[in-house]
Amino acid sequence: MSVVDYEADIYLDARPTYPADWYSKLAALSHHHHLAWDAGTGNGQAATGIAEHYDRVIATDVSETMLHLGKPHRKVTYHHTPSSMTEDEMVDLIGGENSVDLITVATAVHWFDLPRFYAIAKRLLRKPGGIIAVWSYTTEMAVSPEFDPVMTRFNEKTMPYFKFPECQYVVDGYKSLPFPFESVGLGSEGKPMELEMKRTVSFEGFLRMVRSWSAIGAAKEKGVELLSEDVVKELETAWGGSELVRTIVYKTFMLAGTSNLRISWHLMSNLKSRIPYVL
C-alpha cells in the first residue's frame, strides 16, 4: 500500500482547501501560461485551482487510489506515474524539455526522491520564466485561547509517531528542505514564506482531519490509541461542543523559485533518496 492510499476518501474530505489567491500570485510570476504540472496531485485540488490561470494542467500521482478521486476539469489531465517510470518518460509525458510554465507540489514534496524530482523539474521548466512552488502545513493550528493549549499538548504526544523521516521536513516548516532554485520573492531555501490557511469546521470535521494523520495510524500499529475517549472528550470540551463551528488557522509555508539552480547537482546527488512518491 502506498503512503497515501490509506483511507483516501477520509483524508481528502478532512483536509483544508488552499486559498485561490495563492494560484493568482504564482500565475503572476510565470512569463507564460500555456502549461502547468501539478506533481503529487492527489485528488487534484491544486491542479484545478491552477487551471483557472493556465491553458493546460498535467496532474500526476503515483497513487491510483488518489487519482480515482480526481476532480474533473476540462483543462486538467490526470496521469498515473509509477516510480518505475524513467526521467525521460516523465519529461516526455508532461510536455518535453523547456515546456512547463509552472510546477506545483502541494503538501507532498517531502515524500519525493528529491534529486530525481529536481532533475526532472529543471529539464521541464521553461527558461526563462518558469516557476516551481512547493508548500505544506503542519499540525500546529490556532482555534481559540481555550482550545489551543489542549491541542498543543496533544500534538506533543503525536510527534514520536510521525514515523517517516520525511515528516521532519514538515515538522520544521520546510526550513531544512533542499530547494535549489533562485528565489522569486515567495520564500527561499532555508527561509520559507510563512502563510495562513483557514478552514471553518465543526468539532466532528476537525476530528476527521486529525484521524487522517499518519501518526494516528502509526500509533495504532504499536497498540497506542492517541485518540482515546478521554482525549476526544477533552478536545471536544475545549472546542466548545461537538456541534460548534469554529475557524482553524493552519501554519502554512511555501517555497517558490525559478529554474536557475544555485547548488551543484553533485551535491544534490548525495542527498539521501526519499520515498519515490507522487511524481
Side-chain angles (χ1 to χ4, degrees), residues 16-71:
T17 301
Y18 308 121
D21 68 308
W22 292 5
Y23 308 129
S24 300
K25 290 177 181 178
L26 293 172
L29 292 171
S30 68
H31 292 186
H32 302 279
H33 300 86
H34 303 308
L35 179 63
W37 172 32
D38 185 42
T41 195
N43 73 330
Q45 180 190 150
T48 54
I50 295 162
E52 299 304 312
H53 304 277
Y54 291 82
D55 297 335
R56 288 196 305 127
V57 179
I58 303 298
T60 65
D61 206 299
V62 73
S63 169
E64 289 185 280
T65 302
M66 285 292 195
L67 289 173
H68 289 155
L69 299 171
K71 299 178 178 180

Side-chain angles (χ1 to χ4, degrees), residues 14-181:
R15 296 302 170 115
T17 301
Y18 308 121
D21 68 308
W22 292 5
Y23 308 129
S24 300
K25 290 177 181 178
L26 293 172
L29 292 171
S30 68
H31 292 186
H32 302 279
H33 300 86
H34 303 308
L35 179 63
W37 172 32
D38 185 42
T41 195
N43 73 330
Q45 180 190 150
T48 54
I50 295 162
E52 299 304 312
H53 304 277
Y54 291 82
D55 297 335
R56 288 196 305 127
V57 179
I58 303 298
T60 65
D61 206 299
V62 73
S63 169
E64 289 185 280
T65 302
M66 285 292 195
L67 289 173
H68 289 155
L69 299 171
K71 299 178 178 180
H73 193 288
R74 63 184 179 83
K75 292 184 180 180
V76 178
T77 304
Y78 293 95
H79 291 283
H80 178 225
T81 49
S83 57
S84 58
M85 290 184 68
T86 67
E87 290 184 17
D88 287 342
E89 288 172 336
M90 289 292 300
V91 170
D92 290 343
L93 172 70
I94 293 161
E97 300 200 11
N98 200 40
S99 66
V100 177
D101 301 304
L102 175 67
I103 297 173
T104 54
V105 191
T107 317
V109 78
H110 44 279
W111 297 112
F112 287 12
D113 177 333
L114 292 174
R116 167 182 157 87
F117 171 64
Y118 289 151
I120 293 170
K122 178 177 180 288
R123 292 173 62 182
L124 283 168
L125 280 174
R126 191 185 297 275
K127 306 169 189 64
I131 301 295
I132 178 172
V134 303
W135 65 84
S136 190
Y137 57 96
T138 71
T139 58
E140 293 183 41
M141 61 187 73
V143 176
S144 72
E146 298 78 20
F147 182 80
D148 294 350
V150 177
M151 189 62 194
T152 297
R153 292 195 297 273
F154 176 75
N155 274 333
E156 291 171 352
K157 293 177 181 178
T158 68
M159 285 299 109
Y161 299 99
F162 281 102
K163 63 180 181 179
F164 301 106
E166 294 76 19
C167 291
Q168 186 57 44
Y169 286 144
V170 178
V171 171
D172 71 13
Y174 277 9
K175 290 183 176 68
S176 63
L177 181 79
F179 191 73
F181 298 92

Side-chain angles (χ1 to χ4, degrees), residues 11 52 65 67 73 88 110 121 123 136 145 151 165 176 182 198 200 204 212 218 221 224 227 237 242 256 260:
Y11 176 93
E52 299 304 312
T65 302
L67 289 173
H73 193 288
D88 287 342
H110 44 279
R123 292 173 62 182
S136 190
M151 189 62 194
S176 63
E182 183 178 319
K198 298 180 180 180
T200 301
E204 291 304 317
S212 74
E221 291 176 3
V224 177
L227 284 171
T237 300
S242 62
N260 296 325

